[in-house]
């Protein structure tokens, strides 16, 4: 054997040793890291899928909330207005000859709203005036519900006396931050 052959064999030995160490390092270091990367990436993909599903649901609900807020803006603002008996009587006098209101009760048991119950005694020329009044209730700056029973009685010659109960809903002021009557608006 000549020196050139020995060097070639020695070089070949070192190359094999280098390849052996390289493969050993690959199996010891790289493959476990790749396996952990794959498991972490799989978990990330699952979490991202859950996130995207939740985000889609949130966006759908948020869009519906915005459309409902836009559609019912007047009602939402009406809940925020304070009850004003004088405004109510001024509006009612457009339809009735005489209006007397007598507060019955203020319900404070509701969590988000105050509910005023009021007995209204009216005098009118015809029952049509009462129905026109009911049609005009949404134009008032309050949320008002006319309750039954509604009693009509003849009073005098051509007058009708009407007695009915109304409920006025008003947003409770100073409740906690989780106020459901005024939804949280998230700006994007």
């Amino acid at each position: 054997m000549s020196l050139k052959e020995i060097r070639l064999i020695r070089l070949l030995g070192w190359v094999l040793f280098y390849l052996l160490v390289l493969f050993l390092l690959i199996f010891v270091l790289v493959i476990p890291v790749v396996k952990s990367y794959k498991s972490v990436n799989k978990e990330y993909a699952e979490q991202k899928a859950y996130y995207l599903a939740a985000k889609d649901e949130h966006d759908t609900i948020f869009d519906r909330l915005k459309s409902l807020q836009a559609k019912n803006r007047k009602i939402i603002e009406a809940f925020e207005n304070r009850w004003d008996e004088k405004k109510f009587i001024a509006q009612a006098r457009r339809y009735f000859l005489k209006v007397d209101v007598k507060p019955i009760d203020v319900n404070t048991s509701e969590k988000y709203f105050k509910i005023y119950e009021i007995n209204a005694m009216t005098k009118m020329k015809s029952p049509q005036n009462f129905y026109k009044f009911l049609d005009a209730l949404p134009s008032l700056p309050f949320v008002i519900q006319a309750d039954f029973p509604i009693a009509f009685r003849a009073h005098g010659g051509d007058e009708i006396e009407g007695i009915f109960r109304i409920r006025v809903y008003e947003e409770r002021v100073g409740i906690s931050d989780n106020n459901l009557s005024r939804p949280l608006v998230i700006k994007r």
Side-chain angles (χ1 to χ4, degrees), residues 30-161:
V30 175
I31 291 179
V33 169
V34 169
K35 284 183 182 178
S36 69
Y37 170 77
K38 284 182 180 179
S39 67
V40 168
N41 195 30
K42 181 179 177 184
E43 185 177 329
Y44 169 75
E46 289 174 2
Q47 292 296 325
K48 186 174 181 180
Y50 288 133
Y51 166 75
L52 291 175
K55 185 178 182 307
D56 287 344
E57 184 176 352
H58 170 269
D59 290 344
T60 302
I61 291 171
F62 184 77
D63 292 341
R64 184 163 185 252
L65 171 68
K66 294 310 276 172
S67 71
L68 286 173
Q69 281 179 334
K71 179 180 174 186
N72 299 311
R73 180 184 52 80
K74 187 172 184 207
I75 295 171
I76 292 170
E77 289 172 357
F79 274 116
E80 295 171 354
N81 289 333
R82 311 269 312 146
W83 164 245
D84 187 358
E85 187 176 315
K86 291 176 185 172
K87 281 185 183 178
F88 173 76
I89 290 174
Q91 178 75 12
R93 284 206 173 127
R94 294 179 184 170
Y95 303 96
F96 304 122
L97 300 173
K98 181 180 177 191
V99 179
D100 290 324
V101 292
K102 185 171 112 182
I104 298 173
D105 185 26
V106 176
N107 182 352
T108 57
S109 65
E110 282 286 324
K111 187 172 182 179
Y112 299 107
F113 302 105
K114 285 183 189 175
I115 302 174
Y116 299 95
E117 288 193 29
I118 299 164
N119 228 7
M121 292 154 284
T122 62
K123 289 186 182 172
M124 62 193 106
K125 289 279 186 192
S126 77
Q128 290 176 341
N129 290 359
F130 177 74
Y131 294 112
K132 288 178 184 177
F133 168 74
L134 288 180
D135 290 339
L137 281 180
S139 68
L140 284 171
F142 317 109
V143 177
I144 298 177
Q145 172 188 359
D147 277 343
F148 291 99
I150 299 170
F152 290 122
R153 284 183 253 159
H155 183 72
D158 59 345
E159 290 182 354
I160 299 172
E161 183 179 73

Side-chain angles (χ1 to χ4, degrees), residues 8-26:
L8 189 60
I9 291 175
R10 206 195 281 164
L11 183 64
L12 193 57
W14 280 110
V15 168
L16 286 176
F17 177 72
Y18 174 74
L19 289 175
L20 179 69
V21 169
L22 184 66
F23 283 123
L24 186 64
L25 286 175
I26 287 173

